[in-house]
Amino acid sequence: MPYISTVNASMDINKTASLPVISIVTVVLNAKNDLLKTIESVIHQTYSTIEYIIIDGGSTDGTVDVIKQYQDYITYWVSEPEQGISDAFNKGIDRATGRLIGLLNAGDQYQPNAVEIVVHEYLNATHKNTFLCTGNLFIIEWDAVFKADKNYAFKLPFMMPVLNHPACFVASEIYQTIGHFNINIKIAMDFEFLKRCHKAGIQIQCIDALLVIIDGFGVSEKQYWRGYAEVLKYSDNKLLTLLLPPYIIMNRAILSLIKLLRKC
């Protein structure tokens, strides 16, 4: 039987009726140490009208104990087997009731004012039902800030631009109209989802502010060629996608050289 909790004693998401509820979804599997810092970054946001959802894939390493330790700050959590990251994302999205939904994987950390920055942009947006934003990302492994690519529109049909999925916040109405993540995609689910949004005419707002810190590229780095194969499968211009590997290898080599020089 799965562990399920809906305890939320310390967080009253309706205490500020004039401000929108923001849903944060964290997916995790056997990553108790990584999850700890992610939870801390969420519960210490300067913006308080947050509901926090954790989807655990059936961890056996003590991750559930960490969740229970913080369950007073968690709106909903579950620990049960899932069919991959996309499936876990979808479970969290289905539980979310906020106007905006952010997906923050275990190990990733929001800057303390990240949600507050996003809400400010959202409140000033003309079309709130199609609000989709992202921001800048700091990667500890590379000691570098990756800025969201404002020129994403040209690239998105055939490659994943720098859109920093951990820094994305999506209006709940978009998931209702565009659909959820494709559970058949195991690595490049963010590419396929954002491409669908782009084809539907939804513009991605790139906020020039640091929103998230991550350790490294994660599963997309460890299984790069599988992710590339998925991008190729769903690309609108397969010829251009086929030309990407030399460009990416060169770009990674430059980043590695910069990383090495910084250590000298």
Side-chain angles (χ1 to χ4, degrees):
M1 293 293 291
Y3 294 97
I4 299 178
S5 174
T6 55
V7 175
N8 188 20
S10 65
M11 187 182 299
D12 180 3
I13 62 175
N14 295 311
K15 66 182 179 181
T16 310
S18 61
L19 293 176
V21 174
I22 308 302
S23 300
I24 307 300
V25 176
T26 292
V27 302
V28 60
L29 178 62
N30 291 327
K32 63 178 181 180
N33 294 328
D34 288 337
L35 179 62
L36 185 64
K37 60 186 179 183
T38 301
I39 293 176
E40 287 285 334
S41 81
V42 172
I43 67 177
H44 288 111
Q45 285 296 298
T46 56
Y47 186 84
S48 60
T49 314
I50 291 173
E51 69 169 8
Y52 192 27
I53 297 165
I54 297 181
I55 306 298
D56 175 71
S59 295
T60 58
D61 71 334
T63 293
V64 171
D65 293 330
V66 173
I67 296 172
K68 289 180 177 179
Q69 178 183 345
Y70 286 91
Q71 68 179 2
D72 287 349
Y73 298 92
I74 300 168
T75 310
Y76 170 85
W77 67 270
V78 64
S79 181
E80 63 183 7
E82 30 75 7
Q83 301 177 55
I85 298 172
S86 294
D87 186 37
F89 281 161
N90 291 343
K91 287 181 180 181
I93 292 166
D94 286 339
R95 282 283 175 176
T97 65
R99 296 302 306 276
L100 298 178
I101 301 173
L103 303 175
L104 190 69
N105 291 334
D108 301 345
Q109 303 170 75
Y110 283 133
Q111 286 287 86
N113 62 341
V115 177
E116 185 176 354
I117 290 171
V118 169
V119 170
H120 179 268
E121 298 296 327
Y122 172 75
L123 292 176
N124 289 308
T126 303
H127 304 290
K128 291 181 172 56
N129 289 350
T130 57
F131 183 84
L132 198 171
C133 78
T134 187
N136 300 339
L137 186 77
F138 180 79
I139 300 182
I140 295 173
E141 180 184 355
W142 297 96
D143 190 24
V145 173
F146 287 72
K147 289 196 170 188
D149 187 354
K150 295 182 179 180
N151 299 313
Y152 70 87
F154 167 72
K155 304 171 185 176
L156 195 50
F158 65 92
M159 67 177 288
M160 182 60 176
V162 179
L163 288 175
N164 299 331
H165 190 242
C168 284
F169 286 81
V170 180
S172 58
E173 293 88 347
I174 291 178
Y175 288 114
Q176 294 166 15
T177 57
I178 301 299
H180 289 24
F181 290 91
N182 186 335
I183 64 171
N184 295 315
I185 302 176
K186 304 304 180 183
I187 309 297
M189 69 289 291
D190 51 350
F191 163 73
E192 192 273 337
F193 173 76
L194 292 172
K195 188 165 73 71
R196 264 189 284 142
C197 291
H198 178 61
K199 291 180 77 171
I202 296 170
Q203 295 187 354
I204 303 172
Q205 181 176 342
C206 296
I207 302 172
D208 190 14
L210 181 62
L211 299 184
V212 176
I213 298 174
I214 68 174
D215 291 331
F217 285 111
V219 68
S220 61
E221 174 76 8
K222 296 174 183 176
Q223 300 186 47
Y224 171 76
W225 291 110
R226 181 177 182 180
Y228 170 75
E230 290 177 344
V231 170
L232 179 61
K233 179 178 179 179
Y234 291 95
S235 170
D236 291 338
N237 190 325
K238 289 182 170 46
L239 177 59
L240 287 178
T241 305
L242 285 168
L243 295 174
L244 285 177
Y247 162 78
I248 294 173
I249 291 171
M250 180 182 69
N251 192 47
R252 294 287 176 95
I254 292 171
L255 286 172
S256 296
L257 179 60
I258 293 172
K259 180 180 175 183
L260 180 63
L261 291 174
R262 283 178 174 171
K263 291 183 177 180
C264 295

